[in-house]
Amino acid sequence: MTTPTTPQIPTASASASIGAEPLIDTAVHEPTPTEAFRAQASPRRGFVFFVVLAMVGAGAAQMSAALLTLTLKATELDADAATTIISISSGIAGLLTLFALPIIGSLSDRSRSRFGRRRPFLFAGAASFTLGGILLITAPNTWMFVAAHLFITIGFVATGIVTIALIADQLPPNRRGVASAFVSLGTPMGALLGTAIALPFGADLVPLVGIPTALAVIALLVLAVVIRDPQFEERRASRSLREMLGIFWVNPITFPDFAAVFTSRMLVFSGVAALNGYQAIYLLMNIGLQPAELGGAILLTVIVNTGVSLAVAPAIGRLSDHLGVRKPFILAAAVILGAGLVFAAMAPDFGVYLIACGVVALGQGVYFAVELALATRVVPDPENPAKDLAIIKIADNLPVSIVSALAPAILAIGVGATGGQNFAALFVIGAASAVLGGFAILFVRSAR
């Protein structure tokens, strides 16, 4: 295999010497290392394709687990306690994500490896997916099940951070919209691809887990090989304990727009988590599907979700770029998503539920088209974006822990001695959260 090309990037003090003429009057502004990299080497042909491919592969591994294989494995371990097992595992994985996101993002920003800033974490993500897939297939008990979930989560976290950071590193702001939209859609596209490929194998966990995991590993390794990844020459000073703890924090008073984007995203994704985390159990318990029918039903929901999102997001992204506004689209997306969740809560059968999923997908498509592009414009340190974008990504994952912690109590609302689960309450509360998240984006002042 050819050794990946790693451009050598000088420090900011030396970067003005690049090319025949100075890039800019150094008395006014010295190009940053990232600016020097962009001036020295443009991304390889197909850069966006390979970045999106990596996110699709990671989405295949993570979402096929979240939507199907974790439920099947938990049911195999203990059918009566499957909901509890999933709640425990999702809660722990969500807590791990809260710490892993800023840590991995900060380490990537500070990396001075001869392989570059981002490439080592692509290799680490591939290794984590591999170990998680093996453990999920072979887990003999709940704690090994949880360990498998954690490794899959780390692989997905690393991929999400690196792909977004690569876009911020290598593309100027006016070229990030389409790339950001497709990276955001990488997760549902991966869910569709992984589920569709594995579906013919029924309930056999080996291909159901192995095929999506292989897709993730191959896609990450390919991206690691093809990217131009800058290697900065200067060395970072060691950080104090206070500075290390600071990677988990962005001051909301100093950076109120960043805080508003974070809050909005967290509330919207709480609604998404209410549906995604308990969809399989809902279809079994409330809609009345049999375990053998679950894989096909999940595939149909993923097809609807991905198809509608893909049909909507590119057009909305272009329209948003043309109009120069983001916030109205985010508010509209949140209201649509909330309406879809209420519709799902009232679904009497799978056909109606599938229509509700289409409404949710419409909201997600509009949201994915603009939200990440807005987030890249409010990060406190554009030169080192991975850590701050990782904190934004916490808002994708914190809802998993919140919903997992609250779901047992919400599902028990109004349930008498006959038992059962109140999924309607869970979905309606998720809808309210999503709508509140849409209104929270209106507090962003530095962007429209």
Side-chain angles (χ1 to χ4, degrees), residues 133-155:
I134 292 171
L135 287 176
L136 183 56
I137 293 170
T138 61
N141 54 50
T142 298
W143 297 114
M144 291 297 288
F145 173 91
V146 171
H149 195 175
L150 296 185
F151 279 111
I152 292 170
T153 299
I154 291 173

Side-chain angles (χ1 to χ4, degrees), residues 103-146:
I103 290 173
I104 293 174
S106 179
L107 289 174
S108 180
D109 281 338
R110 295 177 60 84
S111 174
R112 296 300 180 263
S113 163
R114 65 188 182 91
F115 297 107
R117 285 209 293 179
R118 314 302 181 193
R119 185 177 288 115
F121 296 89
L122 294 172
F123 288 126
S128 189
F129 272 127
T130 300
L131 186 54
I134 292 171
L135 287 176
L136 183 56
I137 293 170
T138 61
N141 54 50
T142 298
W143 297 114
M144 291 297 288
F145 173 91
V146 171

Side-chain angles (χ1 to χ4, degrees), residues 60-317:
Q62 197 271 347
M63 289 302 294
S64 63
L67 294 174
L68 180 60
T69 53
L70 286 172
T71 296
L72 291 175
K73 185 66 178 183
T75 303
E76 176 185 299
L77 292 174
D78 189 342
D80 293 334
T83 302
T84 301
I85 292 173
I86 293 171
S87 294
I88 292 172
S89 181
S90 297
I92 295 174
L95 289 174
L96 172 69
T97 300
L98 301 184
F99 293 96
L101 277 164
I103 290 173
I104 293 174
S106 179
L107 289 174
S108 180
D109 281 338
R110 295 177 60 84
S111 174
R112 296 300 180 263
S113 163
R114 65 188 182 91
F115 297 107
R117 285 209 293 179
R118 314 302 181 193
R119 185 177 288 115
F121 296 89
L122 294 172
F123 288 126
S128 189
F129 272 127
T130 300
L131 186 54
I134 292 171
L135 287 176
L136 183 56
I137 293 170
T138 61
N141 54 50
T142 298
W143 297 114
M144 291 297 288
F145 173 91
V146 171
H149 195 175
L150 296 185
F151 279 111
I152 292 170
T153 299
I154 291 173
F156 187 69
V157 165
T159 306
I161 293 171
V162 171
T163 52
I164 297 172
L166 283 170
I167 290 172
D169 287 344
Q170 303 200 21
L171 297 179
N174 62 351
R175 292 180 56 198
R176 294 176 189 168
V178 174
S180 298
F182 278 106
V183 165
S184 295
L185 289 169
T187 299
M189 286 192 291
L192 174 60
L193 181 61
T195 305
I197 291 176
L199 183 64
F201 298 95
D204 187 350
L205 280 174
V206 173
L208 287 177
V209 175
I211 293 175
T213 299
L215 291 173
V217 172
I218 292 170
L220 287 170
L221 295 179
V222 168
L223 178 61
V225 170
V226 302
I227 59 169
R228 292 187 174 106
D229 194 14
Q231 177 192 349
F232 296 118
E233 293 178 351
E234 88 280 7
R235 297 294 172 182
R236 293 291 183 90
S238 298
R239 291 182 293 188
S240 67
L241 177 60
R242 180 177 180 180
E243 290 172 328
M244 293 176 65
L245 293 176
I247 69 174
F248 299 100
W249 166 258
V250 172
N251 192 321
I253 297 176
T254 306
F255 303 102
D257 286 352
F258 184 91
V261 170
F262 178 91
T263 301
S264 173
R265 194 175 182 95
M266 185 182 70
L267 290 170
V268 170
F269 273 80
S270 292
V272 176
L275 184 66
N276 286 346
Y278 293 87
Q279 176 177 247
I281 296 293
Y282 176 71
L283 292 176
L284 292 173
M285 291 186 174
N286 274 45
I287 301 300
L289 297 184
Q290 298 301 311
E293 302 173 306
L294 186 59
I298 293 294
L299 176 59
L300 284 175
T301 64
V302 173
I303 290 172
V304 169
N305 184 295
T306 306
V308 172
S309 296
L310 280 174
V312 169
I316 294 297

